[in-house]
Amino acid sequence: PTPPATSSASRSRGSPISLSLARVLALARVSVAAALGRTLTIRRALRAALRAGCSFRHLDEALLQLVPFAGFARAINAFIELRAIHPRAPRGREPGKGRRKRGEALCRRVYGPVYAKMIARMGSLHPDLAEWILEDGYGRVLSRPGLSIRERELIIVAVLSALKLPLQRESHIRGALRVGATRGEVS
């Protein structure tokens, strides 16, 4: 299948047009091993991802997006394993300016027609939850360059499946399809 289109804003920040499905699967295996806290599996998955052609930037991005889905502790442990393999200096911080606006735009794209209902529901659970989802989850993490939103959503589906979070998994399956993933890629 042809790769999904990416926005010009995404391309201008250096996101690849599309990784091969094999590379996305390799990143998903790393992310699942990290989300489950399986240290030896993380090491093997990291090495396999590098052999599959994933760059350290791809791995950095996949591990950073563990924070909103599996927590800081799992992401930190995974970065410890990555840095043990390659102790290079990571890239600098992404700019914070416009984070809320970027997050809202991306979240609208992922959730499509149910965006307003979802955000209202999160706000009803706790007012800060909706803001954190938009500013931090989508604006700080998922809108970063380095992986396309299609690739990110496919990895998120794998992590949420492994963590046995069916409500969130189903939302992100629909989101992955909305941003260009095929049903075959999702499965």
Side-chain angles (χ1 to χ4, degrees), residues 94 99 102-103 134-144:
E94 291 296 320
R99 190 178 292 147
R102 280 193 321 268
L134 294 175
E135 186 166 339
D136 295 326
Y138 283 88
R140 180 184 298 253
V141 180
L142 300 179
S143 67
R144 290 171 56 89

Side-chain angles (χ1 to χ4, degrees), residues 42-126:
I42 295 169
R43 290 179 196 162
R44 284 193 300 269
L46 284 167
R47 288 187 177 96
L50 290 168
R51 284 192 305 275
C54 295
S55 69
F56 284 100
R57 182 169 187 200
H58 296 141
L59 289 163
D60 279 347
E61 291 304 319
L63 298 181
L64 281 173
Q65 81 176 29
L66 285 170
V67 172
F69 298 99
F72 279 104
R74 296 293 191 198
I76 290 166
N77 290 344
F79 272 110
I80 289 168
E81 297 305 321
L82 178 60
R83 296 301 176 244
I85 291 171
H86 195 274
R88 66 171 185 80
R91 290 187 52 215
R93 292 174 28 148
E94 291 296 320
K97 189 172 182 151
R99 190 178 292 147
R100 171 66 164 71
K101 187 176 178 180
R102 280 193 321 268
E104 185 173 354
L106 181 56
C107 192
R108 282 182 185 281
R109 193 169 152 214
V110 170
Y111 281 89
V114 299
Y115 165 81
K117 183 179 176 182
M118 184 277 297
I119 285 298
R121 170 93 167 111
M122 296 303 108
S124 75
L125 296 173
H126 192 284

